[in-house]
Coordinates of all heavy atoms in Angstrom, one line a residue:
E137 N -75.7 46.8 216.1 CA -74.6 46.2 216.8 C -74.9 44.8 217.2 O -74.0 43.9 217.3 CB -74.2 47.0 218.0 CG -73.6 48.4 217.6 CD -73.3 49.3 218.8 OE1 -73.8 49.0 219.9 OE2 -72.7 50.3 218.6
S138 N -76.1 44.5 217.4 CA -76.5 43.1 217.8 C -77.0 42.3 216.5 O -77.5 41.2 216.7 CB -77.6 43.1 218.8 OG -78.8 43.7 218.3
K139 N -76.8 42.9 215.4 CA -77.2 42.3 214.1 C -78.6 41.9 214.0 O -79.0 41.0 213.3 CB -76.3 41.1 213.8 CG -74.8 41.4 213.9 CD -73.9 40.2 213.4 CE -72.5 40.5 213.5 NZ -72.0 41.8 212.9
S140 N -79.5 42.8 214.6 CA -80.9 42.6 214.5 C -81.4 43.6 213.4 O -81.9 44.7 213.7 CB -81.6 42.9 215.8 OG -81.1 42.0 216.8
F141 N -81.2 43.3 212.2 CA -81.3 44.3 211.1 C -82.7 44.7 210.8 O -83.0 45.8 210.5 CB -80.6 43.7 209.8 CG -79.2 43.4 210.0 CD1 -78.7 42.1 209.9 CD2 -78.3 44.4 210.4 CE1 -77.3 41.9 210.1 CE2 -76.9 44.2 210.7 CZ -76.5 42.9 210.5
E142 N -83.7 43.7 210.9 CA -85.1 44.1 210.6 C -85.5 45.1 211.7 O -86.2 46.1 211.4 CB -86.0 42.9 210.7 CG -85.7 41.9 209.5 CD -86.7 40.8 209.5 OE1 -87.7 40.8 210.3 OE2 -86.5 39.9 208.7
E143 N -85.2 44.9 212.9 CA -85.5 45.8 214.0 C -84.9 47.2 213.8 O -85.4 48.2 214.1 CB -85.1 45.2 215.4 CG -86.0 44.1 215.8 CD -85.5 42.7 215.2 OE1 -84.6 42.8 214.4 OE2 -86.0 41.7 215.7
A144 N -83.6 47.2 213.3 CA -82.9 48.4 213.0 C -83.6 49.2 211.9 O -83.8 50.4 212.0 CB -81.5 48.1 212.6
I145 N -84.1 48.5 210.9 CA -84.9 49.2 209.8 C -86.1 49.9 210.4 O -86.4 51.0 210.2 CB -85.2 48.3 208.7 CG1 -84.0 47.9 207.9 CG2 -86.3 48.9 207.8 CD1 -84.2 46.8 206.8
L146 N -86.9 49.1 211.2 CA -88.1 49.6 211.8 C -87.9 50.8 212.7 O -88.6 51.8 212.6 CB -88.8 48.5 212.5 CG -89.4 47.3 211.7 CD1 -89.9 46.2 212.6 CD2 -90.5 47.8 210.8
S147 N -86.9 50.7 213.5 CA -86.6 51.8 214.4 C -86.1 53.0 213.7 O -86.5 54.1 214.1 CB -85.5 51.3 215.5 OG -85.4 52.2 216.5
S148 N -85.2 52.8 212.8 CA -84.6 54.0 212.1 C -85.7 54.7 211.2 O -85.7 55.9 211.1 CB -83.4 53.6 211.2 OG -83.7 52.6 210.3
C149 N -86.6 53.9 210.6 CA -87.6 54.5 209.8 C -88.6 55.3 210.6 O -89.1 56.4 210.3 CB -88.4 53.4 209.0 SG -87.5 52.7 207.6
A150 N -88.9 54.7 211.8 CA -89.8 55.4 212.7 C -89.2 56.7 213.2 O -89.8 57.7 213.4 CB -90.1 54.5 213.9
A151 N -87.8 56.7 213.4 CA -87.1 57.9 213.9 C -87.3 59.0 212.8 O -87.5 60.2 213.2 CB -85.7 57.6 214.1
M152 N -87.1 58.6 211.6 CA -87.2 59.7 210.5 C -88.6 60.2 210.4 O -88.8 61.4 210.2 CB -86.8 59.1 209.2 CG -85.3 58.8 209.1 SD -84.7 58.6 207.4 CE -85.7 57.2 206.8
E153 N -89.6 59.3 210.5 CA -91.0 59.7 210.4 C -91.3 60.7 211.5 O -92.0 61.7 211.3 CB -91.9 58.5 210.4 CG -93.4 58.9 210.2 CD -94.3 57.6 210.2 OE1 -93.7 56.5 210.1 OE2 -95.5 57.8 210.2
I154 N -90.9 60.4 212.7 CA -91.3 61.2 213.9 C -90.6 62.5 213.8 O -91.1 63.6 214.1 CB -90.9 60.5 215.2 CG1 -91.8 59.3 215.5 CG2 -90.9 61.5 216.4 CD1 -91.5 58.5 216.7
F155 N -89.3 62.5 213.4 CA -88.5 63.8 213.3 C -89.1 64.7 212.2 O -89.1 65.9 212.3 CB -87.1 63.5 213.0 CG -86.3 64.8 213.0 CD1 -86.1 65.6 214.1 CD2 -85.7 65.2 211.8 CE1 -85.4 66.7 214.1 CE2 -84.9 66.4 211.8 CZ -84.8 67.2 212.9
Q156 N -89.6 64.1 211.1 CA -90.2 64.8 210.0 C -91.4 65.7 210.6 O -91.6 66.8 210.1 CB -90.6 63.9 208.9 CG -91.1 64.7 207.7 CD -90.0 65.4 207.0 OE1 -88.8 65.1 207.0 NE2 -90.4 66.6 206.4
Q157 N -92.1 65.1 211.5 CA -93.3 65.8 212.1 C -92.9 67.1 212.9 O -93.6 68.0 213.0 CB -94.1 64.9 213.0 CG -94.6 63.7 212.2 CD -95.2 62.6 213.1 OE1 -95.3 62.8 214.3 NE2 -95.7 61.5 212.5
S158 N -91.6 67.1 213.4 CA -91.2 68.2 214.3 C -90.0 68.9 213.7 O -89.5 69.8 214.3 CB -90.8 67.7 215.7 OG -89.7 66.8 215.6
R159 N -89.7 68.6 212.4 CA -88.5 69.2 211.8 C -88.6 70.7 211.7 O -87.6 71.4 211.9 CB -88.3 68.6 210.4 CG -87.0 69.1 209.7 CD -86.8 68.4 208.4 NE -85.6 68.9 207.7 CZ -85.2 68.5 206.6 NH1 -85.8 67.5 206.0 NH2 -84.1 69.1 206.0
H160 N -89.8 71.2 211.4 CA -89.9 72.7 211.3 C -89.5 73.4 212.5 O -89.0 74.5 212.5 CB -91.4 73.0 210.9 CG -92.4 72.8 212.0 ND1 -92.8 71.5 212.3 CD2 -93.0 73.6 212.8 CE1 -93.7 71.6 213.2 NE2 -93.8 72.8 213.6
M161 N -89.8 72.8 213.7 CA -89.4 73.4 215.0 C -87.8 73.4 215.1 O -87.2 74.3 215.5 CB -90.0 72.7 216.1 CG -91.5 72.8 216.1 SD -92.3 71.9 217.6 CE -91.6 72.8 218.9
A162 N -87.2 72.2 214.7 CA -85.8 72.1 214.8 C -85.1 73.1 213.9 O -84.0 73.7 214.2 CB -85.3 70.7 214.5
E163 N -85.7 73.3 212.7 CA -85.1 74.2 211.7 C -85.1 75.7 212.2 O -84.5 76.5 211.6 CB -85.7 74.0 210.4 CG -85.4 72.7 209.7 CD -86.1 72.4 208.4 OE1 -87.1 73.1 208.2 OE2 -85.6 71.6 207.7
Q164 N -86.0 76.0 213.2 CA -86.1 77.4 213.6 C -85.0 77.7 214.6 O -84.8 78.9 215.0 CB -87.4 77.6 214.3 CG -88.6 77.5 213.4 CD -90.0 77.6 214.1 OE1 -90.0 77.8 215.3 NE2 -91.0 77.5 213.3
V165 N -84.2 76.7 215.0 CA -83.1 77.0 216.0 C -82.0 77.7 215.2 O -81.6 77.3 214.2 CB -82.5 75.6 216.5 CG1 -81.3 75.9 217.4 CG2 -83.6 74.9 217.3
L166 N -81.6 78.9 215.8 CA -80.7 79.7 215.1 C -79.2 79.3 215.4 O -78.4 79.5 214.5 CB -80.9 81.2 215.5 CG -82.2 81.8 215.2 CD1 -82.3 83.2 215.7 CD2 -82.5 81.8 213.7
S167 N -79.0 78.7 216.5 CA -77.6 78.3 216.8 C -77.3 76.9 216.3 O -78.2 76.1 216.1 CB -77.4 78.3 218.4 OG -78.3 77.4 219.0
R168 N -76.1 76.7 216.0 CA -75.6 75.4 215.4 C -74.7 74.8 216.4 O -74.2 75.4 217.4 CB -74.9 75.6 214.1 CG -75.8 76.2 213.0 CD -77.1 75.4 212.8 NE -77.9 75.9 211.8 CZ -79.2 75.6 211.6 NH1 -79.8 74.8 212.5 NH2 -79.9 76.1 210.6
Q169 N -74.4 73.5 216.3 CA -73.7 72.7 217.3 C -72.2 72.5 216.9 O -71.6 71.6 217.4 CB -74.4 71.4 217.5 CG -75.8 71.6 218.1 CD -76.4 70.3 218.7 OE1 -77.1 69.6 218.0 NE2 -76.1 70.0 219.9
G170 N -71.7 73.4 216.1 CA -70.3 73.5 215.9 C -69.9 72.7 214.7 O -70.6 71.8 214.2
N171 N -68.7 73.0 214.1 CA -68.2 72.4 213.0 C -67.8 70.9 213.3 O -67.4 70.6 214.4 CB -66.9 73.1 212.5 CG -67.2 74.5 212.0 OD1 -68.3 74.8 211.7 ND2 -66.2 75.3 211.9
D172 N -68.0 70.0 212.4 CA -67.6 68.6 212.5 C -68.3 67.9 213.6 O -67.8 67.0 214.2 CB -66.1 68.5 212.7 CG -65.4 68.9 211.4 OD1 -65.8 68.6 210.3 OD2 -64.3 69.6 211.6
F173 N -69.5 68.4 214.0 CA -70.2 67.7 215.1 C -70.6 66.3 214.8 O -70.5 65.4 215.7 CB -71.5 68.5 215.4 CG -72.2 68.1 216.7 CD1 -71.8 68.5 217.9 CD2 -73.3 67.2 216.6 CE1 -72.5 68.1 219.1 CE2 -73.9 66.7 217.8 CZ -73.5 67.2 219.0
I174 N -70.9 66.0 213.6 CA -71.2 64.6 213.3 C -70.0 63.7 213.4 O -70.0 62.6 214.0 CB -71.8 64.4 211.8 CG1 -73.1 65.2 211.8 CG2 -72.0 63.0 211.5 CD1 -73.8 65.2 210.4
D175 N -68.8 64.2 212.9 CA -67.6 63.5 213.0 C -67.2 63.2 214.5 O -66.7 62.2 214.9 CB -66.4 64.2 212.4 CG -66.3 63.9 210.9 OD1 -67.2 63.2 210.4 OD2 -65.4 64.3 210.2
Q176 N -67.5 64.3 215.3 CA -67.2 64.1 216.8 C -68.1 63.0 217.4 O -67.6 62.3 218.2 CB -67.5 65.4 217.5 CG -66.9 65.5 218.9 CD -65.4 65.2 219.0 OE1 -64.6 65.8 218.3 NE2 -65.0 64.2 219.7
C177 N -69.4 62.9 217.0 CA -70.2 61.9 217.5 C -69.7 60.5 217.0 O -69.7 59.5 217.8 CB -71.6 62.0 216.9 SG -72.5 63.4 217.6
I178 N -69.2 60.4 215.8 CA -68.6 59.1 215.3 C -67.4 58.8 216.2 O -67.2 57.6 216.6 CB -68.2 59.3 213.9 CG1 -69.4 59.4 213.0 CG2 -67.3 58.1 213.4 CD1 -69.1 59.7 211.5
L179 N -66.5 59.7 216.5 CA -65.3 59.5 217.3 C -65.6 59.1 218.7 O -65.0 58.2 219.3 CB -64.4 60.7 217.2 CG -63.7 61.0 215.9 CD1 -63.1 62.4 215.9 CD2 -62.7 59.9 215.5
N180 N -66.6 59.8 219.3 CA -67.0 59.5 220.6 C -67.6 58.1 220.8 O -67.3 57.4 221.7 CB -68.1 60.5 221.1 CG -67.5 61.9 221.3 OD1 -66.3 62.1 221.5 ND2 -68.4 62.9 221.4
H181 N -68.4 57.7 219.8 CA -68.9 56.3 219.8 C -67.8 55.3 219.6 O -67.9 54.2 220.2 CB -70.0 56.2 218.8 CG -70.8 54.9 218.9 ND1 -71.4 54.5 220.1 CD2 -71.0 53.9 218.0 CE1 -72.0 53.3 219.9 NE2 -71.8 52.9 218.7
D182 N -66.9 55.6 218.8 CA -65.8 54.7 218.5 C -65.0 54.4 219.8 O -64.4 53.3 219.9 CB -64.8 55.3 217.5 CG -63.7 54.4 217.1 OD1 -63.9 53.3 216.6 OD2 -62.5 54.8 217.4
K183 N -64.9 55.3 220.7 CA -64.2 55.1 221.9 C -64.8 54.1 222.8 O -64.2 53.4 223.7 CB -64.0 56.4 222.7 CG -63.2 57.5 222.0 CD -63.3 58.8 222.8 CE -62.5 59.9 222.1 NZ -62.6 61.2 222.8
T184 N -66.1 53.9 222.6 CA -66.9 53.0 223.5 C -67.3 51.7 222.8 O -68.1 50.9 223.4 CB -68.1 53.7 224.1 OG1 -69.0 54.1 223.0 CG2 -67.7 54.9 224.9
S185 N -66.9 51.5 221.6 CA -67.3 50.3 220.9 C -66.2 49.8 220.1 O -65.1 50.4 220.0 CB -68.5 50.7 219.9 OG -68.0 51.6 218.9
S186 N -66.3 48.5 219.6 CA -65.3 47.9 218.8 C -65.0 48.7 217.6 O -66.0 49.2 216.9 CB -65.7 46.5 218.5 OG -64.8 45.9 217.6
S187 N -63.8 48.8 217.2 CA -63.4 49.5 215.9 C -63.3 48.6 214.8 O -62.9 49.0 213.7 CB -62.1 50.3 216.1 OG -61.1 49.4 216.4
D188 N -63.6 47.3 215.0 CA -63.5 46.3 213.9 C -64.5 46.7 212.8 O -65.6 47.1 213.1 CB -63.8 44.9 214.4 CG -62.8 44.4 215.3 OD1 -61.6 44.9 215.3 OD2 -63.0 43.4 216.1
Q189 N -64.1 46.5 211.6 CA -64.9 46.7 210.4 C -65.3 45.4 209.7 O -64.6 44.4 209.9 CB -64.2 47.7 209.5 CG -63.9 49.0 210.1 CD -65.1 49.8 210.5 OE1 -66.0 49.9 209.7 NE2 -65.0 50.4 211.7
T190 N -66.3 45.4 209.0 CA -66.7 44.2 208.2 C -66.2 44.2 206.8 O -66.3 45.2 206.1 CB -68.2 44.2 208.2 OG1 -68.7 43.9 209.5 CG2 -68.7 43.0 207.3
I191 N -65.5 43.1 206.4 CA -65.1 43.0 205.1 C -65.8 41.7 204.6 O -65.5 40.6 205.0 CB -63.6 42.8 205.0 CG1 -62.9 44.1 205.5 CG2 -63.1 42.6 203.5 CD1 -61.4 44.1 205.5
M192 N -66.7 41.9 203.7 CA -67.4 40.7 203.1 C -67.0 40.6 201.7 O -67.2 41.5 200.8 CB -68.9 41.0 203.2 CG -69.5 41.1 204.6 SD -69.4 39.5 205.5 CE -70.7 38.6 204.6
D193 N -66.5 39.4 201.3 CA -66.0 39.2 199.9 C -65.1 40.3 199.5 O -65.2 40.8 198.4 CB -67.2 39.1 199.0 CG -68.2 37.9 199.3 OD1 -67.6 36.9 199.8 OD2 -69.4 38.1 199.2
D194 N -64.2 40.6 200.4 CA -63.1 41.7 200.1 C -63.7 43.1 200.0 O -63.0 44.0 199.6 CB -62.4 41.3 198.8 CG -61.6 40.1 198.9 OD1 -61.1 39.7 200.1 OD2 -61.4 39.4 197.9
D195 N -65.0 43.3 200.3 CA -65.6 44.6 200.3 C -65.7 45.2 201.7 O -66.2 44.5 202.6 CB -67.0 44.6 199.7 CG -66.9 44.3 198.2 OD1 -65.9 44.7 197.6 OD2 -67.9 43.7 197.7
F196 N -65.1 46.3 201.9 CA -65.2 47.0 203.2 C -66.4 47.8 203.3 O -66.7 48.7 202.4 CB -63.9 47.9 203.4 CG -64.1 48.9 204.6 CD1 -63.8 48.5 205.9 CD2 -64.4 50.2 204.3 CE1 -63.9 49.4 206.9 CE2 -64.6 51.1 205.3 CZ -64.3 50.7 206.7
I197 N -67.2 47.6 204.3 CA -68.4 48.5 204.6 C -68.2 49.2 205.9 O -67.8 48.5 206.9 CB -69.7 47.6 204.7 CG1 -69.9 46.9 203.4 CG2 -70.9 48.5 205.0 CD1 -71.1 45.9 203.4
Y198 N -68.3 50.5 206.0 CA -68.4 51.2 207.2 C -69.7 50.9 207.9 O -70.7 51.4 207.4 CB -68.1 52.7 207.1 CG -68.1 53.3 208.4 CD1 -66.9 53.4 209.2 CD2 -69.2 53.9 209.0 CE1 -66.8 53.9 210.4 CE2 -69.2 54.5 210.3 CZ -68.0 54.5 211.0 OH -67.9 55.0 212.2
E199 N -69.7 50.1 208.9 CA -70.9 49.5 209.4 C -71.4 50.0 210.8 O -72.3 49.5 211.4 CB -70.8 48.0 209.5 CG -69.8 47.5 210.4 CD -69.9 45.9 210.6 OE1 -70.6 45.3 209.8 OE2 -69.2 45.4 211.5
H200 N -70.7 51.1 211.3 CA -71.1 51.6 212.6 C -72.1 52.7 212.5 O -71.9 53.7 211.8 CB -69.9 52.1 213.4 CG -68.9 51.0 213.7 ND1 -69.2 49.9 214.4 CD2 -67.6 50.9 213.4 CE1 -68.2 49.1 214.5 NE2 -67.1 49.7 213.9
G201 N -73.3 52.5 213.1 CA -74.3 53.6 213.2 C -73.7 54.7 214.0 O -72.8 54.6 214.8
I202 N -74.4 55.9 213.9 CA -74.0 57.1 214.6 C -75.0 57.4 215.8 O -76.2 57.5 215.6 CB -73.9 58.3 213.7 CG1 -73.0 58.0 212.5 CG2 -73.5 59.6 214.4 CD1 -73.0 59.0 211.4
V203 N -74.4 57.5 217.0 CA -75.2 57.8 218.2 C -75.2 59.3 218.4 O -74.1 59.9 218.5 CB -74.7 57.0 219.4 CG1 -75.4 57.5 220.7 CG2 -74.8 55.5 219.2
L204 N -76.4 59.9 218.6 CA -76.5 61.3 218.8 C -76.8 61.5 220.3 O -77.5 60.8 220.9 CB -77.6 61.9 218.0 CG -77.4 62.1 216.6 CD1 -78.7 62.6 215.9 CD2 -76.3 63.1 216.3
P205 N -76.2 62.6 220.9 CA -76.6 62.9 222.3 C -78.1 63.3 222.3 O -78.6 63.9 221.4 CB -75.7 64.2 222.6 CG -74.5 64.1 221.6 CD -75.1 63.4 220.4
M206 N -78.7 63.0 223.4 CA -80.1 63.2 223.5 C -80.5 64.7 223.5 O -81.6 65.1 223.1 CB -80.7 62.6 224.8 CG -80.8 61.1 224.7 SD -81.7 60.4 223.3 CE -83.3 61.1 223.7

Side-chain angles (χ1 to χ4, degrees):
E137 291 173 348
S138 64
K139 304 189 184 306
S140 301
F141 302 119
E142 291 185 10
E143 290 84 352
I145 289 174
L146 292 173
S147 188
S148 59
C149 286
M152 290 197 303
E153 183 177 352
I154 289 174
F155 184 66
Q156 187 64 32
Q157 297 171 3
S158 60
R159 181 175 176 178
H160 68 284
M161 296 181 62
E163 288 176 341
Q164 292 175 4
V165 175
L166 298 179
S167 58
R168 298 303 180 200
Q169 295 194 268
N171 296 341
D172 295 319
F173 188 81
I174 298 177
D175 274 6
Q176 193 57 56
C177 291
I178 293 173
L179 292 168
N180 288 342
H181 188 57
D182 180 63
K183 294 175 183 176
T184 60
S185 64
S186 171
S187 60
D188 291 342
Q189 301 296 314
T190 291
I191 298 176
M192 296 291 291
D193 298 326
D194 296 326
D195 291 331
F196 165 83
I197 299 173
Y198 183 83
E199 64 173 10
H200 296 305
I202 302 171
V203 174
L204 286 174
M206 289 303 299

